[in-house]
Amino acid sequence: MPVPIPRQRAIPAAESGQAQGAFSPGGPSGEATGGPAGAAPAPHAATTPVDSTTNLTLLVIEDDPAGSLSVPEMLDAAGKPIRIRTARNLTEAERLLTDDVHCILLDLALPAPGRAATESDDELTTLKHVLRLAPRHAVLALTASGDAERGAEAVRVGAQDYLFRDELDGRLLSRAIRYAVERKRSDKAERRLTESRLRAQENARLERGLLPTPLLEGSSLRFAARYRPGRSRALLGGDFYDTVRTPDGTVHAMIGDVCGHGPDEAALGVELRIAWRALTFAGLCGDELLSTLQQVLEHERENDEIFATLCTVDIAPDGRRAGLCLAGHPSPLISRPGRPAELLPYENGGPALGLLHGARWPRQQVELGGEWSLMLYTDGLIEGHIGEGRERLGQDGMVDLVRRRLAEGLAGEELLRATVNEVRDLNGGELTDDVAVLLLDRTP
C-alpha cells in the first residue's frame, strides 16, 4: 500500500530502522516509523557504508499542497525495508541530510530557494542547489508524467536518474534507488581514477622539469643516479644533485640535502641546484662557490633554522684526480680495481650551509687513479634502521653492502638500484628520509 508523505513536521529524530505500510502520526516527524510503541530510536551513524547489513535511507524533498504524492513501501536487495525521511523545503532537507542518507528523491516542481513556484527561473535551479548541498549523495529527479526531456536534462546536470510522478511503485523506486547509489559510487571511483591519472601525468612533467639532466657531452665518464623522496606520493624531497662538464673539460658533480622533507624544502633544493649549476658555469669552485650558495640559502629559506649539507667534486679533464669540498655532508665512496671500496679520506670539512656566517670550506685534492667508480649519496642511504631494533646502517654498513654488490659484478644503474632496494629491505619498509645517490664511472 502506498505510504502518504506526512504534512506536519517537527525537529527530525532518528529512524527506528523499520518502514511499515504507513507513517505513524505519533512517531518522529519527517520519517517513516514502525515497530512497538516506545521503542528507542537508533542513533545516526557518522558514515554508513552500503553493504548487505545496512538499511538504505531515502530523503524525499517535495512540497505537494494537494497531497497526491505518495511513496510506496520498498525493500532493498537484501529484503530489508528502505527507510524514508521527508522534507518540504531545502532548509528542512539540510537538517535531515546526515551521512547515513544514501539517496535523495527530489521533486523538480519544488520552488527554488527564495522564489515562488510561479516566478520565472531556471527550471533546474532547485536541483543544482541540492547537488551543491549534497555532493556525495545519489540524487533521483522526480518530474511530471511524460516530461522525459526535463528528466534527461536533470541527469545531464548531475542527477543519477529520473522518475515520473504518477509511475511510482515500490519495485521501480527501490530498484532506481539502488541503481542511483551504485552509479554515484561508480562515478566517484572513476573521478578518483581520472584525478590519479592526471596527477601522474603532472608528476611526469614535473620530473622532466625539476630533476636534473646531466650535461656531460664530450666526457668519457658514465653517469647514473637514483632518487627516492621520503614523503608519500611526493615527486621531490629535500635532496638534490647535479652533474655538468665545463668548457675546460672538468666534470663537476654535486649532491646535497636540505633539512626537512616538505614541499618548501624540495623547492629550496631545486633553487640551490640551479644556483650551483649557474655558478659552476660562471667559473666558481670550492670555497667561493659554497660561500655564494650559502648566501642563496640564507636569502631563500623560510627561517634561520633551515640548513643544507653539500658535497661537491670537480674532476680534472684527465679523470685521474679531483677536488673535494664537504659542507657537513658524508664523504663519497670510491671503488677501484683490486682494492676494496672505501670512503674518500677527508679531515677538514666545513659546516653545513646556513649554520655559520662567514664559514669556510677548504678544497682537498684527492687522487682517483686510472679506473674508478665514485658514489655520492645523501644521509637517507645510511640512516635507515637494521631489522626491528634502533640500530642504523651507518657508513660502515653501507660500505660493506656496496662491496658485496660490486663483488657480484653489479655496476651503474644496477648497482644503485640493488643498493637502495637492500637498504629499504633492511629498514623493514620504505625509508622515511629522502634518498639520492649519484654514480660516476671511469673505465680505460
Side-chain angles (χ1 to χ4, degrees):
M1 175 183 296
V3 180
I5 294 180
R7 308 308 308 159
Q8 294 83 23
R9 293 169 176 83
I11 297 175
E15 59 272 359
S16 67
Q18 300 291 330
Q20 303 298 331
F23 287 86
S24 171
S29 297
E31 304 206 16
T33 62
H44 291 313
T47 302
T48 306
V50 180
D51 55 35
S52 59
T53 63
T54 302
N55 290 73
L56 288 173
T57 300
L58 173 70
L59 174 60
V60 180
I61 308 175
E62 67 82 32
D63 187 14
D64 182 24
S68 59
L69 178 62
S70 61
V71 177
E73 179 182 359
M74 296 172 292
L75 300 178
D76 61 18
K80 297 182 179 181
I82 295 178
R83 298 176 295 194
I84 302 170
R85 297 179 185 171
T86 60
R88 192 164 53 185
N89 53 57
L90 295 179
T91 300
E92 190 173 343
E94 189 170 0
R95 292 202 310 269
L96 290 165
L97 190 60
T98 53
D99 286 338
D100 54 342
V101 171
H102 301 101
C103 186
I104 297 171
L105 178 62
L106 173 66
D107 186 358
L108 295 181
L110 189 72
R115 292 181 179 267
T118 57
E119 291 188 54
S120 175
D121 198 357
D122 179 356
E123 291 183 341
L124 298 177
T125 296
T126 303
L127 172 61
K128 294 174 182 177
H129 185 90
V130 169
L131 292 173
R132 289 192 298 269
L133 186 67
R136 297 182 293 113
H137 294 75
V139 176
L140 289 171
L142 191 62
T143 186
S145 179
D147 195 358
E149 183 176 347
R150 192 180 187 193
E153 181 67 11
V155 172
R156 188 192 67 79
V157 168
Q160 273 61 59
D161 204 350
Y162 69 92
L163 300 168
F164 297 132
R165 290 171 60 92
D166 59 352
E167 295 182 3
L168 290 183
D169 63 66
R171 184 176 180 183
L172 172 64
L173 184 54
S174 61
R175 184 174 61 184
I177 292 170
R178 295 196 302 271
Y179 168 77
V181 170
E182 292 303 321
R183 181 174 179 181
K184 184 67 175 182
R185 180 188 295 174
S186 175
D187 290 344
K188 288 180 181 177
E190 184 176 353
R191 183 166 56 253
R192 286 194 295 267
L193 179 60
T194 299
E195 292 172 351
S196 178
R197 288 172 176 169
L198 290 175
R199 185 164 50 247
Q201 293 172 2
E202 291 173 358
N203 285 349
R205 287 193 292 270
L206 283 171
E207 182 175 350
R208 288 192 296 268
L210 297 180
L211 290 179
T213 300
L215 300 180
L216 292 173
E217 185 177 357
S219 172
S220 61
L221 301 183
R222 294 185 302 172
F223 170 88
R226 295 286 289 178
Y227 193 96
R228 186 190 297 271
R231 289 184 298 132
S232 175
R233 293 189 176 184
L235 172 69
L236 292 174
D239 291 3
F240 54 99
Y241 66 89
D242 204 352
T243 306
V244 299
R245 180 177 183 268
T246 48
D248 64 355
T250 302
V251 171
H252 304 261
M254 172 271 288
I255 196 163
D257 181 4
V258 177
C259 65
H261 314 290
D264 291 335
E265 289 76 15
L268 181 56
V270 172
E271 291 181 86
L272 291 175
R273 177 184 67 78
I274 294 173
W276 175 87
R277 176 176 284 200
L279 294 170
T280 299
F281 279 121
L284 274 67
C285 185
D287 179 75
E288 186 181 10
L289 172 59
L290 270 65
S291 296
T292 308
L293 282 177
Q294 173 158 280
Q295 295 179 35
V296 174
L297 171 66
E298 292 172 344
H299 180 74
E300 297 295 333
R301 64 185 176 183
E302 285 191 339
N303 59 71
D304 292 344
E305 297 181 357
I306 300 297
F307 63 90
T309 66
L310 195 69
C311 169
T312 67
V313 177
D314 53 279
I315 302 170
D318 64 6
R320 303 185 66 87
R321 58 193 180 280
L324 173 64
C325 286
L326 295 179
H329 202 89
S331 184
L333 176 74
I334 187 168
S335 170
R336 289 168 282 206
R339 300 170 60 179
E342 59 184 352
L343 298 175
L344 283 179
Y346 197 91
E347 303 297 335
N348 299 316
L353 303 182
L355 290 184
L356 295 176
H357 185 71
R360 289 292 176 262
W361 296 271
R363 176 178 175 273
Q364 177 173 320
Q365 189 80 8
V366 293
E367 294 296 326
L368 302 177
E371 182 177 354
W372 47 264
S373 293
L374 190 64
M375 189 175 85
L376 285 64
Y377 53 92
T378 58
D379 60 6
L381 188 69
I382 60 178
E383 291 188 348
H385 293 290
I386 301 177
E388 298 180 358
R390 304 305 299 171
E391 183 181 357
R392 297 185 183 275
L393 177 64
Q395 284 184 292
D396 291 340
M398 183 268 296
V399 171
D400 290 340
L401 189 157
V402 173
R403 285 175 177 174
R404 293 198 309 271
R405 294 301 184 179
L406 289 170
E408 296 171 2
L410 298 184
E413 289 280 358
E414 290 186 352
L415 173 63
L416 296 188
R417 185 184 304 110
T419 299
V420 174
N421 287 344
E422 184 172 349
V423 170
R424 181 192 59 193
D425 293 341
L426 289 172
N427 189 60
E430 291 295 338
L431 299 164
T432 57
D433 198 2
D434 307 323
V435 176
V437 192
L438 183 156
L439 188 68
L440 288 171
D441 293 321
R442 183 178 189 267
T443 56

